Amino acid sequence: MAEMILTRELFRHMCEEQEKLDTHIYRTRETKAPSLKSLDIAYTNEANEAIKELQKDWKWWTLKERNRERFIKEVADCFHFVASMANQTRTVGYCYAAIDHEYQKVSRISRECYPHEDIFYKAVKGTVQESIASLIAISEALGATTDEIMTAFEDSLKKNYGRMATGY
């Protein structure tokens, strides 16, 4: 079985940090937790932004080159919403297992025939677990590491706290 760059420990860390951020948002904005549908919409938007950075791989008519760094940043943004969903449903462990299960299905595709339209399709049209697993597999095919994903998530976290401080 292939091991993915999203380790169980990293995912738990993301969920813990996201819970702190969400609590901060709810408290400072005097708002309640969003619905799972709203989180799913936000996640889907981020997944589409990530795949847009790889247009050269699926948009046969474009001349725009792949932007690996922006892709990794957008994938990190996706993790915020996955973590929020896992926290809200109190299924962090199950969520990780579901992502890993889907990853085992798509990682072979990314290793053997990247780019492959099925993996891009699942990244934007699959379930959240299929989508994030596909984005992880694509990240790996682009050479991303666990440390790089962690750093991108931490950078995004800092950016989000900064946005809260400036009234974004």
Side-chain angles (χ1 to χ4, degrees), residues 50-67:
I51 290 301
K52 184 179 178 197
E53 297 303 333
L54 304 179
Q55 320 183 28
K56 186 72 170 175
D57 295 325
W58 58 268
K59 198 174 192 181
W60 59 95
W61 64 90
T62 190
L63 298 175
K64 184 177 178 185
E65 290 300 316
R66 170 191 301 157
N67 189 332

Side-chain angles (χ1 to χ4, degrees), residues 23-39:
T23 299
H24 176 73
I25 292 168
Y26 306 149
R27 188 178 61 250
T28 60
R29 299 291 168 94
E30 297 180 5
T31 188
K32 60 181 181 167
S35 68
L36 289 174
K37 286 181 182 179
S38 290
L39 288 169

Side-chain angles (χ1 to χ4, degrees), residues 3-107:
E3 289 188 40
M4 67 177 159
I5 58 176
L6 177 68
T7 65
R8 183 177 306 277
E9 296 77 23
L10 177 55
F11 187 66
R12 285 194 188 282
H13 171 73
M14 288 175 170
C15 290
E16 289 167 4
E17 292 302 318
Q18 187 62 40
E19 187 151 17
K20 292 175 191 174
L21 176 61
D22 287 342
T23 299
H24 176 73
I25 292 168
Y26 306 149
R27 188 178 61 250
T28 60
R29 299 291 168 94
E30 297 180 5
T31 188
K32 60 181 181 167
S35 68
L36 289 174
K37 286 181 182 179
S38 290
L39 288 169
D40 188 36
I41 291 167
Y43 171 83
T44 301
N45 183 63
E46 292 299 335
N48 280 299
E49 287 180 16
I51 290 301
K52 184 179 178 197
E53 297 303 333
L54 304 179
Q55 320 183 28
K56 186 72 170 175
D57 295 325
W58 58 268
K59 198 174 192 181
W60 59 95
W61 64 90
T62 190
L63 298 175
K64 184 177 178 185
E65 290 300 316
R66 170 191 301 157
N67 189 332
R68 179 191 179 279
E69 288 71 30
R70 283 290 316 144
F71 172 77
I72 299 299
K73 288 178 182 179
E74 296 297 345
V75 170
D77 289 345
C78 290
F79 283 122
H80 287 283
F81 297 106
V82 173
S84 285
M85 286 184 247
N87 288 336
Q88 192 172 43
T89 58
R90 301 286 179 228
T91 58
V92 172
Y94 172 78
C95 187
Y96 181 82
I99 293 167
D100 187 53
H101 177 74
E102 292 302 326
Y103 169 82
Q104 295 305 322
K105 293 180 192 177
V106 299
S107 67

